[in-house]
Amino acid sequence: QVQLVESGGGLVQPGGSLRLSCAASGSTHSIVAMGWYRRAPGKQRESVAGISATGGSTNYADSVKGRFTISRDDAKNTVYLQMNSLKSEDTAVYYCNARVRATSGLFSAWGQGTQVTVSS
């Protein structure tokens, strides 16, 4: 019903910046909220940032506050994650997530993931 495609990952030096994009298609009117998760080698998946469907509410993991900014462009059905002052600890596969409202309840849609590597 909802498909997500991430882009923008890559290799960046410590202190550098990247902007991730997540384009949603399908029943986008059913999306309640969207967010970014990441999974580093040997670690569990963690939530990075989230934004409500209206864009009026955002949240961030403590580890990225002040460095990352989540935003959305409803005209393009796209959510962005601007990542500044990147650290080696930010190296992970980043996944876009959408909470989707259906008649039977709430479901999650996931993108394929995009690799972010922070290294000298």
Side-chain angles (χ1 to χ4, degrees), residues 27 42 47 85 90 93 99 102 109-110 116:
S27 301
S47 177
S85 302
D90 297 317
V93 177
R99 294 294 290 166
W110 293 93
V116 172

Side-chain angles (χ1 to χ4, degrees), residues 39-119:
R39 187 169 191 141
K43 299 181 66 177
Q44 294 294 109
R45 183 184 64 194
E46 65 173 342
S47 177
V48 176
I51 188 168
S52 65
T54 63
S57 179
T58 60
N59 63 272
Y60 299 92
D62 288 341
S63 59
V64 307
K65 286 182 179 178
R67 300 189 297 120
F68 291 11
T69 302
I70 188 170
S71 61
R72 62 187 300 150
D73 184 340
D74 289 338
K76 297 181 178 180
N77 293 316
T78 299
V79 171
Y80 304 95
L81 184 67
Q82 179 66 46
M83 306 185 295
N84 298 326
S85 302
L86 284 163
K87 307 174 181 179
S88 60
E89 304 96 283
D90 297 317
T91 296
V93 177
Y94 285 71
Y95 299 91
C96 182
N97 169 264
R99 294 294 290 166
V100 182
R101 182 181 65 251
T103 57
S104 57
L106 293 172
F107 298 88
S108 287
W110 293 93
Q112 81 286 354
T114 185
Q115 176 71 49
V116 172
T117 302
V118 185
S119 177

